[in-house]
Amino acid sequence: MSNSKEYKRVTVKSLVEMKASGEKISMLTAYDYTMAKIVDGAGIDVILVGDSASNVMAGHETTLPITLDQMIYHASSVVRAIERSLVVVDLPFGTYQSDSKEALRSAIRIMKESGGHAVKLEGGKEIKDSIKKILNAGIPVMGHLGLTPQSIYKFGTYSVRAKEEEEAEKLLKDAKLLERLGCFAIVLEKIPAKLAEKVAEELRIPVIGIGAGNGADGQVLVLHDMLGMTHEFNPRFLRRYMNLFESMTNAIGQYVSDVKSSEFPNNEEQY
Ligand code: KIV
């Protein structure tokens, strides 16, 4: 039996309530109007306009190249589609790390120009001044620890983070700091399940995992991965709910063949 309460609109407060009542939080990415309308209508709690748009929508190898203007474009398209979900928007690489005033300016642009409801930043202690400044302006902040793709050149690989005790301890400390600063939730990416469970147990705010096991308070996946539109990316944590790559390839192939053979359009499909 579900212990879900009905939320007409999901807010940052609803998420903390969900955690307190033991209801798991569902989160997916979206980057455009049409997909966001489907995701919102299907009942997702949180839509993340992730900087993974850099990979998924633009074909870049990393999340580093996407700009603030591009994130605002994606986020405003998503916001126009939603009725219920909370929309969280990633601050892209280079828009919050140098100083806290720039971080605040970037967050304000996202909120003003896209209509998103919150921002997400990658990192812990190193970016605490930026987080504080954004929170002081009344903008809700989601943290992101573990594998933080904007630092990929520092890590060198996309492998599991915080397997060693020292890094695990730093992650737990950072998570507690983010909660103390006032973040409303934290994403934990690609870390051992036991560590994510411990962080979720020790924090009051929700912990949303991706590749972080079932002990987190919620789960997030990249929409195009879970729908099976992408097929080269196969991490262990990814569950594909469809094989859209195959269905779309077949549908488009059929269309090509129908056009070539003059099967399309038929008498009913013309004026
Ligand atoms: O950009 C993104 O899609 C993300 C998720 C992987 C959490 O940050």
Side-chain angles (χ1 to χ4, degrees):
M1 211 177 69
S2 157
N3 50 356
S4 310
K5 171 179 160 187
E6 281 300 314
Y7 289 96
K8 254 186 111 166
R9 270 256 174 211
V10 179
T11 66
V12 295
K13 281 224 167 92
S14 325
L15 301 188
V16 178
E17 244 178 68
M18 285 180 194
K19 169 160 180 159
S21 69
E23 177 181 347
K24 294 265 185 166
I25 296 163
S26 61
M27 172 159 141
L28 280 174
T29 63
Y31 319 104
D32 67 80
Y33 177 85
T34 306
M35 291 293 231
K37 207 163 179 66
I38 297 171
V39 174
D40 178 72
I44 208 80
D45 297 316
V46 185
I47 294 184
L48 172 66
V49 184
D51 58 358
S52 50
S54 178
N55 313 105
V56 178
M57 302 306 284
H60 291 296
E61 205 175 307
T62 71
T63 57
L64 276 66
I66 200 160
T67 66
L68 190 55
D69 284 335
Q70 288 164 341
M71 287 303 296
I72 289 169
Y73 167 78
H74 287 297
S76 56
S77 310
V78 167
V79 167
R80 280 192 288 275
I82 60 107
E83 288 182 11
R84 176 183 175 274
S85 317
L86 180 81
V87 179
V88 180
V89 185
D90 267 340
L91 278 188
F93 176 68
T95 66
Y96 61 94
Q97 292 92 344
S98 60
D99 74 74
S100 61
K101 281 191 185 148
E102 192 194 0
L104 178 57
R105 272 195 299 275
S106 305
I108 287 178
R109 279 203 61 203
I110 297 249
M111 302 300 281
K112 248 188 177 342
E113 296 177 41
S114 79
H117 309 136
V119 296
K120 175 163 83 58
L121 283 72
E122 295 183 5
K125 191 167 161 241
E126 314 73 29
I127 56 158
K128 89 172 189 310
D129 293 340
S130 294
I131 293 177
K132 262 200 215 159
K133 195 107 186 153
I134 296 170
L135 284 166
N136 281 342
I139 301 172
V141 174
M142 177 180 268
H144 184 156
L145 299 171
L147 176 63
T148 46
Q150 292 178 11
S151 312
I152 185 58
Y153 291 116
K154 183 172 118 192
F155 298 144
T157 73
Y158 286 100
S159 55
V160 180
R161 306 300 313 169
K163 285 200 328 209
E164 308 303 329
E165 206 171 309
E166 198 181 326
E167 198 183 338
E169 268 171 26
K170 179 180 176 339
L171 187 143
L172 182 58
K173 255 192 182 165
D174 276 340
K176 288 182 175 170
L177 171 68
L178 294 181
E179 173 167 89
R180 266 201 318 279
L181 290 174
C183 289
F184 70 91
I186 300 176
V187 165
L188 292 182
E189 181 164 352
K190 223 169 172 188
I191 63 165
K194 281 229 161 67
L195 176 60
E197 189 174 352
K198 183 172 161 69
V199 177
E201 271 168 16
E202 297 205 11
L203 298 193
R204 188 187 44 82
I205 59 170
V207 165
I208 301 181
I210 173 163
N214 207 3
D217 305 303
Q219 300 293 327
V220 55
L221 285 175
V222 168
L223 181 65
H224 294 60
D225 295 336
M226 62 82 76
L227 291 178
M229 287 175 93
T230 52
H231 68 300
E232 298 97 349
F233 179 61
N234 285 304
R236 191 202 299 188
F237 68 77
L238 175 60
R239 185 180 295 182
R240 293 197 198 283
Y241 287 81
M242 293 185 80
N243 187 345
L244 263 190
F245 180 85
E246 200 176 290
S247 309
M248 289 176 76
T249 304
N250 290 342
I252 294 163
Q254 186 63 53
Y255 169 73
V256 171
S257 149
D258 288 353
V259 169
K260 299 278 181 195
S261 64
S262 293
E263 280 288 312
F264 175 79
N266 62 25
N267 286 344
E268 280 78 50
E269 291 161 333
Q270 63 190 16
Y271 300 99

